[in-house]
Amino acid sequence: MAEKLLTYMTEPELKAHLNNQLQFIRECQTEDTIGSMLVIFGKDGICQYGATIDPETAPQALRELADRIESRTTVKR
């Protein structure tokens, strides 16, 4: 568990925090995964994110996900 709240983290601390979580996610990825994105929704309404996916690819992938969420075509897991 993080020792400090996201709200109080400096940019270097936030980067280290996200990279630590992304490292775990990377280790769990299957061969056919091109990357992952971690989105953290803060209580203050601000999102923080980190990604292993190419930043050029992320907006399209997020739009596709938002469309599925809005149309309620997601699969509950």
Side-chain angles (χ1 to χ4, degrees):
M1 181 177 239
E3 295 177 20
K4 204 179 214 185
L5 295 176
L6 290 175
T7 306
Y8 301 117
M9 287 185 189
T10 63
E11 280 300 318
E13 290 170 332
L14 183 58
K15 179 180 180 179
H17 179 69
L18 292 173
N19 283 339
N20 186 41
Q21 292 181 65
L22 285 168
Q23 181 59 38
F24 176 76
I25 292 168
R26 246 193 261 33
E27 291 170 5
C28 297
Q29 289 180 169
T30 58
E31 281 182 28
D32 57 348
T33 302
I34 63 167
S36 297
M37 181 173 266
L38 168 67
V39 180
I40 300 171
F41 300 91
K43 289 181 180 180
D44 57 6
I46 296 174
C47 292
Q48 301 294 346
Y49 72 94
T52 64
I53 193 169
D54 178 354
E56 300 286 323
T57 308
Q60 175 69 28
L62 289 170
R63 280 188 194 92
E64 188 271 335
L65 174 59
D67 289 346
R68 283 192 289 142
I69 292 171
E70 288 174 346
S71 66
R72 311 256 193 281
T73 56
T74 57
V75 176
K76 292 191 179 197
R77 293 188 174 96

